[in-house]
Amino acid sequence: QEASQLLNELANSQRLLVVALLHEAGEMHVNDMVETLGVNRASLSRHLSRLREQALVNTRRMHNRVYYSLNHDKAAAIVQVLGVLKTQP
């Protein structure tokens, strides 16, 4: 059941883009993600909240800024598998 919940969260294209971006970047501030993805901050915050609920992302606070990174135990393996699937004909 945990796997199906995880895949359900990643079925949303915006959340999948966030996971892929963090996989490539390592760690990012929300403003940087908004600019890179071209989405509004409120929408991104909702997606990040859902990813946090599933423990797919970690947060780190520095002063009044919050930085996000992947929880590599869960998300990185999924991104790698999806990357392999994407490259196959």
Side-chain angles (χ1 to χ4, degrees):
Q1 185 175 353
E2 182 182 345
S4 66
Q5 286 177 333
L6 185 63
L7 291 173
N8 186 47
E9 292 303 318
L10 293 177
N12 178 282
S13 62
Q14 291 297 312
R15 285 191 289 274
L16 187 57
L17 283 174
V18 170
V19 169
L21 179 63
L22 290 174
H23 178 70
E24 290 180 18
E27 181 180 71
M28 289 186 82
H29 182 262
V30 173
N31 292 343
D32 297 329
M33 285 190 273
V34 166
E35 184 177 317
T36 302
L37 295 172
V39 297
N40 67 53
R41 188 180 175 101
S43 174
L44 179 61
S45 292
R46 283 192 302 275
H47 291 305
L48 288 169
S49 176
R50 299 271 306 256
L51 293 171
R52 276 194 316 270
E53 288 171 7
Q54 292 296 319
L56 286 168
V57 295
N58 300 314
T59 59
R60 178 179 67 88
R61 225 174 244 288
M62 179 179 272
H63 305 292
N64 63 341
R65 296 177 63 110
V66 178
Y67 293 87
Y68 288 86
S69 62
L70 280 184
N71 176 345
H72 286 281
D73 293 339
K74 284 190 170 186
I78 290 170
V79 170
Q80 288 174 348
V81 168
L82 293 174
V84 168
L85 293 176
K86 184 174 72 173
T87 61
Q88 293 181 358

